[in-house]
Amino acid sequence: MPSKRTTLPQLCFLLVTCCLYLFEAVPIDKDKTKVNKEQHVEKEKIESSDTGLYYDHYLREVIDVLETDQHFREKLQTADLDDIKSGKLAGELDLVNHNVRTKLDELKRQEVSRLRMLIKAKLDSVEDFGINHMSLLKQFQHLNHNNPDTFEPKDLDMLIKAATSDLENFDKERHDEFKKHEMLKEHERREYLKTLDEEKRKQEEEKFEEMKKKHSEHPKVNHPGSQDQLKEVWEEADGLDPNDFDPKTFFKLHDSNGDGFLDEQELEALFSKELEKVYDPKNEEDDMVEMEEERLRMREHVMNEVDINHDRLVTMEEFLKATEKREFLEPDSWETLDQQQLFTEEELKEYESHISQQEFELAQRAEELHKQREDLERQHDQLQAQKQELHQAVQHMEQKKLQQGIPPTGPSGELKFQPGGEPTVGHAESHLVGGNQHLPPGNIAEIEADPGAQQIQPHP
């Protein structure tokens, strides 16, 4: 979703790392490099990445609305990280414009409604009834569930703290997901080998080792954030002479949105050349999921080395200080993922046990659903049989009425009369004798045999 930047990107980190793009940019250094010093940096909406948080859309909309209030913007520019974390900034919500509060109230009501729908959809799958949705809303920590109608300072405080906590754990969760991915690959490979005979199994093992070897035979990967690595970007990506490498110019060139910071996405973009040395989507032996894990590792390493105040943003000052360190000029070699043990045998066994338990539970659930389907089909067949029996009983009753000379009736008991035309046997209601007397069935032949008859006796 398009959004703006703020003059205090630290708040944006606390709200969401990727939402550094949410407020308008105010460059902290007007003296851009000679490469782009004449370019005009316009205020514009910048497309930002999804944070991965399940309340990402709500978070972005709240920030977007708050940014429109002048008072809140002024407080934002003077707030420090402690004020934000302590909830002091959230207290300023009482002083924002009434229209802003009204918009925030509506956003919160929409979010509560969305969460309730999610809860209902989840509980409907287990056929649970009489659910107290308010109690279930307690599991969501990014809003005040006790007041579902209005957006209060407590809501802003909870949103900031939830986003901060979730984003701090986000990288760890990504590492855990990658580890599961690798263990699942190994599990599936071993299960496949069990299905082969000895000769084919040996061939598969040889192929696997050959692919591992081929993947490891790649050019040297420079240490992320080192002079060699940055010079390579300078030369190959920027098209500049490596002898003219200048850290300050490099920083400004790769501060792509001109806010005076290198954020996590801008840093990760610097590692593309290194990753291309190891991973090629055309190669069977190269796993692109592994490539993204390697990118994450590189970014974390540079942040740990350069980001002095741990706000997940690299300032010009922090960047220049890092280039003065020995590690920048003489870095250690960088070990790629293929050189590391990603999991132990014990961890793999535990994971396989977890998978087996999940498969067992899924099989049980599938069996239950199968039985439910059979029950429903049986009930459907019974209803169809009952419907058929009822239909046949109605037809039989109508036949008996006709035989007894009683006009047939419709669904509501009304008499059925045949439209005018030639009389037919079985529809005596269309035959009149003398005045308005109906001809009972069975007497048509008598009329034809004795046209002079004056009276027609009912058929017994």
Side-chain angles (χ1 to χ4, degrees):
M1 149 180 170
S3 43
K4 296 181 179 179
R5 285 189 170 228
T6 184
T7 54
L8 188 64
Q10 287 87 342
L11 171 69
C12 299
F13 155 65
L14 287 169
L15 292 176
V16 53
T17 302
C18 298
C19 286
L20 299 169
Y21 310 103
L22 289 175
F23 296 140
E24 292 180 348
V26 181
I28 61 173
D29 191 340
K30 296 181 181 180
D31 182 22
K32 297 295 284 184
T33 71
K34 59 184 178 182
V35 179
N36 61 353
K37 64 182 179 181
E38 295 182 357
Q39 295 179 358
H40 177 63
V41 180
E42 298 182 354
K43 295 181 179 180
E44 60 181 3
K45 293 276 187 175
I46 301 175
E47 190 73 23
S48 59
S49 305
D50 192 295
T51 64
L53 300 176
Y54 66 88
Y55 49 90
D56 174 82
H57 184 68
Y58 173 64
L59 175 67
R60 292 168 183 271
E61 288 192 318
V62 168
I63 295 174
D64 226 17
V65 171
L66 286 173
E67 188 268 345
T68 64
D69 185 82
Q70 181 62 30
H71 170 78
F72 196 85
R73 282 184 63 84
E74 292 174 356
K75 291 296 182 181
L76 186 62
Q77 293 171 9
T78 58
D80 56 29
L81 298 182
D82 291 335
D83 288 342
I84 297 171
K85 288 182 178 181
S86 66
K88 183 178 178 181
L89 182 65
E92 299 295 332
L93 189 67
D94 287 330
L95 303 177
V96 302
N97 184 280
H98 174 72
N99 292 333
V100 172
R101 290 296 294 271
T102 300
K103 291 178 181 178
L104 292 173
D105 291 347
E106 180 60 26
L107 288 178
K108 182 177 179 181
R109 285 192 289 269
Q110 292 175 3
E111 177 69 357
V112 170
S113 177
R114 182 184 74 89
L115 296 177
R116 284 174 172 167
M117 289 178 64
L118 290 175
I119 292 171
K120 184 178 185 302
K122 181 177 180 180
L123 294 177
D124 283 349
S125 66
V126 295
E127 300 180 356
D128 204 342
F129 301 96
I131 298 301
N132 184 344
H133 288 80
M134 185 61 68
S135 64
L136 291 174
L137 281 173
K138 293 180 181 179
Q139 64 185 296
F140 301 110
Q141 300 298 318
H142 65 287
L143 49 74
N144 179 16
H145 54 82
N146 292 322
N147 178 13
D149 298 318
T150 59
F151 192 97
E152 303 296 335
K154 185 176 181 180
D155 289 290
L156 181 57
D157 184 41
M158 292 180 70
L159 183 60
I160 292 173
K161 290 179 178 178
T164 302
S165 175
D166 291 343
L167 287 168
E168 285 175 350
N169 295 323
F170 191 63
D171 286 345
K172 181 180 181 303
E173 291 175 358
R174 283 182 59 183
H175 287 310
D176 291 341
E177 287 301 314
F178 171 72
K179 191 173 183 178
K180 291 177 182 178
H181 168 76
E182 289 296 308
M183 289 191 291
L184 180 60
K185 281 199 310 183
E186 180 62 16
H187 168 71
E188 291 176 341
R189 187 185 75 85
R190 295 184 183 186
E191 290 298 308
Y192 173 66
L193 291 177
K194 292 178 182 178
T195 65
L196 305 177
D197 58 39
E198 185 175 351
E199 182 179 352
K200 290 185 178 180
R201 190 182 305 118
K202 184 178 180 181
Q203 291 175 355
E204 282 295 324
E205 290 285 14
E206 290 175 354
K207 180 183 177 182
F208 178 70
E209 292 301 324
E210 182 181 344
M211 290 177 62
K212 282 178 62 178
K213 182 180 179 183
K214 186 178 179 182
H215 175 70
S216 63
E217 293 174 347
H218 53 71
K220 176 189 174 184
V221 176
N222 291 314
H223 194 98
S226 66
Q227 180 176 245
D228 291 340
Q229 191 258 314
L230 298 186
K231 272 190 174 183
E232 194 169 274
V233 175
W234 174 275
E235 180 180 7
E236 297 186 15
D238 301 332
L240 300 174
D241 189 337
N243 296 322
D244 294 334
F245 177 75
D246 176 62
K248 185 174 182 180
T249 302
F250 183 91
F251 181 96
K252 293 188 176 184
L253 280 173
H254 293 277
D255 175 17
S256 58
N257 47 35
D259 66 344
F261 300 90
L262 292 181
D263 59 41
E264 294 181 341
Q265 287 69 46
E266 290 166 336
L267 279 178
E268 288 185 358
L270 300 178
F271 310 135
S272 295
K273 289 294 179 182
E274 299 304 316
L275 294 170
E276 288 172 2
K277 297 176 182 178
V278 186
Y279 301 96
D280 185 342
K282 298 177 183 178
N283 295 338
E284 182 184 3
E285 68 273 9
D286 297 338
D287 185 348
M288 295 300 103
V289 176
E290 185 178 301
M291 183 186 75
E292 292 306 315
E293 173 70 7
E294 190 73 77
R295 190 192 304 274
L296 174 59
R297 290 180 64 243
M298 289 179 171
R299 186 253 292 167
E300 286 181 324
H301 172 76
V302 172
M303 278 293 187
N304 290 334
E305 293 290 321
V306 181
D307 182 21
I308 298 174
N309 63 356
H310 304 294
D311 63 354
R312 299 176 83 153
L313 297 167
V314 177
T315 65
M316 172 74 80
E317 182 182 1
E318 290 173 330
F319 183 77
L320 295 179
K321 282 185 178 180
T323 62
E324 299 171 358
K325 296 180 180 179
R326 182 194 66 81
E327 292 81 1
F328 179 75
L329 301 173
E330 301 175 8
D332 298 329
S333 60
W334 178 257
E335 288 189 357
T336 53
L337 284 169
D338 55 279
Q339 299 172 289
Q340 300 182 12
Q341 183 182 13
L342 302 177
F343 54 84
T344 65
E345 277 297 318
E346 289 74 16
E347 288 174 325
L348 179 59
K349 289 179 180 179
E350 182 179 351
Y351 180 69
E352 289 178 327
S353 175
H354 177 66
I355 291 178
S356 297
Q357 180 63 28
Q358 285 185 324
E359 290 175 345
F360 174 74
E361 292 174 356
L362 287 173
Q364 278 190 322
R365 181 58 177 159
E367 181 64 24
E368 291 173 1
L369 292 174
H370 181 69
K371 289 180 179 179
Q372 289 177 10
R373 178 180 177 180
E374 289 182 339
D375 290 342
L376 289 174
E377 290 177 347
R378 185 164 49 254
Q379 292 173 17
H380 177 267
D381 292 342
Q382 291 174 352
L383 289 174
Q384 288 296 106
Q386 291 174 5
K387 182 178 178 181
Q388 183 66 22
E389 291 176 2
L390 180 61
H391 181 67
Q392 292 175 351
V394 171
Q395 287 184 326
H396 180 68
M397 290 175 63
E398 292 295 335
Q399 289 293 333
K400 288 186 68 176
K401 288 181 180 179
L402 289 173
Q403 293 172 2
Q404 296 173 5
I406 303 174
T409 59
S412 301
E414 71 275 10
L415 293 177
K416 289 184 178 179
F417 293 99
Q418 187 76 9
E422 290 296 326
T424 57
V425 177
H427 292 83
E429 62 271 25
S430 63
H431 297 277
L432 301 178
V433 180
N436 296 323
Q437 184 178 355
H438 289 279
L439 174 65
N443 288 318
I444 294 176
E446 297 176 16
I447 298 174
E448 293 175 347
D450 187 6
Q454 298 296 319
Q455 298 291 331
I456 301 297
Q457 297 298 326
H459 186 29

